[in-house]
Amino acid sequence: MSWITLQVISTLLASVNSIVDKHLVRDHEPSPMIYLASFAVVGLPVTTVGVWLIPWPGLKAVLTGTLSGLLFATAVLIYYRAMNLGEVSRLVPLLRLSSIFKLILLAAFLNDRLTLIQYSAFGFMLFGAMALAQKSGQSHRKLRWHQGDGVSLMLIAALLLAVGSVLDSQLILSHSPWTLAVWSNTGRVLGFSILLVTPKYRTEFLCRLKTTSPRFRTVVIGEQTGRLVTGL
């Protein structure tokens, strides 16, 4: 299976997940901490079992994977904040700009070289995302992003995901996907734990947890489990 096919499938699955996310946010409006908690719930068994089953990869690999997970947890928090503010049709394409950011980071710091066709493909992705980010009726000559519409937050989330993806790429070059899964999930669990000890986020999480139904929690955890499986 070619990388183009994998990218198309990945984009399709990400779009479906984003639409489900928007539906959940619109109907329930839970705290982003609820979603981050679902990643921690799914990731904790992976981390707990994995550290006993896989060989110690070395301190550098552990720190790389953990940092990637922390960046992901931060991006998730920002992502769901943005989904509470904006339109899914405008925000989902912006999240895919993480591929553009990753390209820039690889070229700047790792001397990665791509072909002209690949650069052209990324250019079309950038143009399409910027065009879809415009509000209905807005002139194509002016692209104005208003504070509070979620666009700026989504761009930050995309950048954090790109940095984390670069770290993942470096880790996977010399270690197995299971090593990446274990230590990146460790970072996600750690990120949620850090926020949970913060009074502001702990209060927000506990208050919203009481108002969410068991069915909703099951759906969210199931969604994150699907993300973990497809990520492998």
Side-chain angles (χ1 to χ4, degrees):
M1 187 177 294
S2 68
W3 71 270
I4 296 178
T5 303
L6 290 173
Q7 182 65 31
V8 170
I9 295 174
S10 174
T11 302
L12 177 61
L13 292 174
S15 299
V16 172
N17 276 329
S18 297
I19 292 173
V20 173
D21 289 340
K22 184 60 180 179
H23 175 73
L24 293 174
V25 169
R26 182 190 61 198
D27 290 351
H28 300 274
E29 295 186 0
S31 163
M33 283 290 290
I34 297 293
Y35 293 101
L36 190 56
S38 67
F39 280 100
V41 168
V42 173
L44 185 59
V46 176
T47 297
T48 304
V49 175
V51 294
W52 293 102
L53 295 181
I54 66 171
W56 174 255
L59 182 60
K60 181 180 179 181
V62 169
L63 292 177
T64 300
T66 303
L67 178 58
S68 172
L70 285 170
L71 290 172
F72 180 85
T74 306
V76 166
L77 189 68
I78 297 173
Y79 168 81
Y80 283 108
R81 294 287 187 197
M83 292 291 280
N84 274 320
L85 297 173
E87 302 171 8
V88 63
S89 59
R90 298 179 62 223
L91 297 178
V92 169
L94 291 176
L95 188 66
R96 305 310 297 172
L97 287 179
S98 60
S99 299
I100 303 295
F101 294 147
K102 180 180 179 180
L103 171 67
I104 296 172
L105 292 171
L106 289 174
F109 298 103
L110 301 178
N111 296 319
D112 195 49
R113 296 291 182 266
L114 297 179
T115 66
L116 179 60
I117 294 178
Q118 289 172 320
Y119 276 114
S120 299
F122 282 119
F124 281 115
M125 288 175 60
L126 177 61
F127 175 80
M130 301 290 278
L132 289 172
Q134 298 185 75
K135 289 187 176 181
S136 178
Q138 184 179 8
S139 170
H140 67 281
R141 296 180 180 179
K142 292 183 178 181
L143 180 59
R144 296 179 179 177
W145 294 341
H146 301 279
Q147 185 176 8
D149 61 2
V151 173
S152 298
L153 290 177
M154 192 61 75
L155 288 174
I156 295 173
L159 178 59
L160 292 176
L161 289 175
V163 175
S165 182
V166 170
L167 294 176
D168 291 345
S169 298
Q170 292 303 296
L171 186 59
I172 206 68
L173 287 176
S174 54
H175 297 84
S176 71
W178 296 108
T179 299
L180 173 61
V182 168
W183 293 107
S184 63
N185 276 285
T186 299
R188 298 176 188 185
V189 174
L190 179 61
F192 173 72
S193 301
I194 292 173
L195 289 175
L196 197 60
V197 300
T198 305
K200 174 186 175 182
Y201 288 104
R202 182 174 65 250
T203 301
E204 177 183 329
F205 171 70
L206 293 176
C207 289
R208 290 304 184 97
L209 184 63
K210 296 177 181 178
T211 61
T212 55
S213 66
R215 179 177 177 274
F216 174 81
R217 300 172 199 167
T218 302
V219 171
V220 172
I221 292 175
E223 184 189 7
Q224 311 318 346
T225 302
R227 276 193 171 105
L228 176 64
V229 173
T230 55
L232 295 175

